[in-house]
Amino acid sequence: MDKSTNTAKLLILSVSIISVLFAVLLYTKALPFSVQTSSLLMLLTLIITATLNLAYLFLFSKKGETSGINEGMNIFDSIAEAVLVFNENGSFEYANQSALKILRKDIDSVQGKSYTEVLPLFSDTGDSIYIGADKDPINKALQSGQQQQLKNLQLYFKDETVYLNVSVSPYEDPNTHKKRVVVLMQDITEEQALEKMKLDFVAMAAHELRTPMTSIRGYLELLINETEYYLQPVHRKFLEHALLASDRLVNLMSNLLSVSQIERHKVKLNLMPVDINDIIEKTMTSFRPDAKEKNLKFAYIRPPGDVPRVKGDPKYIRQIIDNLVSNAISYTAKGSVTVSLHYQPGGHQVTISVKDTGQGIPVEALPHMFEKFYRVSSLLEQGSKGTGLGLYIAKKLIEMQGGRIWVESVEGKGTVFSFALPTYREGDDKKS
Amino acid sequence: MKKILIVEDEPFILETYSRELSKAGYLITQAVEGNNGLELATTQKYDLILLDIMLPGTNGIDILRAIKSNPTTKDTPTIMLTNLGQESVVEEAFRIGAQGYILKINVLPTQLVQKVKNYFATGTFESSSYSEFES
């Protein structure tokens, strides 16, 4: 295209120069023509030059209209990202080199084809992204001028799956008002592979750490059991302390793994209607022996009427309630630990509170309670399983389920940890 | 006397679990490697099989599949042992027909013995809870 334009330009320029030269020669009477003939010839020269220039301008702008999409688009062939343009009918108009490379197609196989054929993209759930006109991003861009960013889309080939981040932008020509859609794609396959490797690394690291830990704990327990008649009580106490310390290490490893997953957004929540009462009953049964051992009053207060189910992941809800109750028991020397369930009839959330009569939390520590690794130092910490991560994890998990968690405390009197989750409404079932 | 097969490649874990189970009166057979474990599991008769998942040679899930697809051994109760807390692996094991699952790091030898005793008494195995798994 460029070549022919250049040739045309060169031709017209040459002819124009020759015409001007000719006119000059005629005017200076360097050529043997009479005045009349000279004037005629000069006029002719002018007309020819003018016509040629007009023709050139006309050609140039006409080409411009159709080649405008291609002129200057050559710079897009230098970038790694794929750029594609579709017209208002969703038909292919343009693709840069990277686009063709990523799609593994040649220009002839995409000319005039519809975007569904040119770009067979799937979401990370394996569904085509064009199913449903209201979901189809290119359709949305054309109909409602909506720009969208789509992440982790997939392109399937026989030998591999290519992962892409795609942005779909509507474009309207300011002069012609012709609509187009510009699609930009970024190949993130390598990043995805790295993420997968990281996940394996973390899981493997957890496994590798647990293996020797299992043996250490196993031997400690056997020693405690089998040396009753061979070791002094104080020495057996040491073994028991070692075992307790290992409990804390086990929890720490598990919590670190959880934090790692939360922060890399790898936590898969199974949201469903959950009977909170059921979960609390199970926790109460679980921890009753521990509370009894410390001579603590251990009670569960629930409202007289029905409590609706909440929307959440039962596995994590159980984990959180267990954590709060375990903490309450650990940090309370005497008195009581009370779990209560609150529901305001007609309300949209259910609240669970864990109240203890422990030593309370200093005012300056309260705002930091849900921070990573924050621990309030206390005498009662000896032998506790706390890692400083439990509350951070609880807060993240609760918030991921659309709830809130908070704490109130009076030093010397006790503490109340509470969290609220939204009630379940029909049509709420979703994996997230 | 009930016969238990333990397939576990970590010698220390094998020793601590075996010792406690022996003390409790069970006859223990040990396998430290997948292929050996597979052979024993599919050719001998046991009252219970404790099967590690990460093994050299044939892995635990494949051994489980072999046990459950063999008409002679498919009714042998099989409990999976692991330190990988991945729910997807648990679900697959149960799908294939495992009777239970324990996260070794959380189950001390005497606790394992208690679970085995309860299983023989009630027919139900108290697996490690899902809340102990990461995902």
Side-chain angles (χ1 to χ4, degrees), chain A residues 305-323:
Chain A
D306 272 331
V307 174
R309 297 175 300 178
V310 298
K311 177 175 140 204
D313 185 324
K315 174 177 107 182
Y316 291 118
I317 296 176
R318 173 76 195 265
Q319 200 180 306
I320 293 160
I321 298 184
D322 277 359
N323 192 14

Side-chain angles (χ1 to χ4, degrees), chain A residues 36 42 51 57 110 143 151 171 260 304 325-326 347 377 431:
Chain A
Q36 264 169 322
M42 270 174 70
T51 317
L57 279 170
V110 294
Q143 301 304 328
K151 298 214 177 254
Y171 173 76
S260 159
V325 169
S326 169
S377 53
K431 259 192 207 286

Side-chain angles (χ1 to χ4, degrees), chain B residues 113-127:
Chain B
V113 168
Q114 200 52 50
K115 288 182 193 278
V116 170
K117 276 192 179 153
N118 286 344
Y119 173 75
F120 284 132
T122 65
T124 334
F125 189 86
E126 192 198 328
S127 293

Side-chain angles (χ1 to χ4, degrees), chain B:
Chain B
M1 212 187 200
K2 300 251 191 251
K3 291 160 72 172
I4 302 181
L5 169 67
I6 308 182
V7 187
E8 166 63 64
D9 66 317
E10 272 298 321
F12 295 162
I13 299 178
L14 184 61
E15 180 176 53
T16 49
Y17 281 172
S18 301
R19 186 182 173 93
E20 210 57 29
L21 286 166
S22 275
K23 273 162 62 181
Y26 303 107
L27 190 61
I28 307 296
T29 308
Q30 301 174 330
V32 297
E33 191 263 341
N35 297 330
N36 187 24
L38 174 65
E39 198 189 318
L40 287 169
T42 48
T43 57
Q44 307 294 320
K45 217 40 181 97
Y46 298 98
D47 296 293
L48 181 72
I49 299 178
L50 299 173
L51 185 50
D52 188 21
I53 291 189
M54 301 276 284
L55 290 166
T58 323
N59 75 64
I61 294 287
D62 289 338
I63 297 177
L64 176 67
R65 211 170 270 127
I67 295 171
K68 292 302 172 184
S69 57
N70 185 324
T72 332
T73 58
K74 70 176 171 60
D75 292 320
T76 309
T78 313
I79 309 295
M80 311 306 289
L81 309 176
T82 194
N83 267 329
L84 266 175
Q86 285 178 346
E87 218 176 293
S88 53
V89 185
V90 187
E91 283 167 0
E92 183 167 9
F94 278 123
R95 242 198 320 271
I96 301 173
Q99 274 62 47
Y101 192 102
I102 67 156
L103 203 57
K104 289 182 279 189
I105 190 71
N106 286 343
V107 178
L108 293 169
T110 52
Q111 290 170 332
L112 177 63
V113 168
Q114 200 52 50
K115 288 182 193 278
V116 170
K117 276 192 179 153
N118 286 344
Y119 173 75
F120 284 132
T122 65
T124 334
F125 189 86
E126 192 198 328
S127 293
S128 288
S129 80
Y130 274 21
S131 62
E132 300 172 45
F133 302 148
E134 297 90 60
S135 60

Side-chain angles (χ1 to χ4, degrees), chain A residues 1-12 56 59-60 63 67 70-72 74:
Chain A
M1 221 119 3
D2 242 16
K3 257 190 183 162
S4 62
T5 323
N6 282 337
T7 322
K9 271 194 216 170
L10 213 58
L11 193 68
I12 288 164
Y56 170 70
L59 262 168
F60 191 21
K63 261 193 169 163
S67 78
N70 293 316
E71 279 286 334
N74 296 322

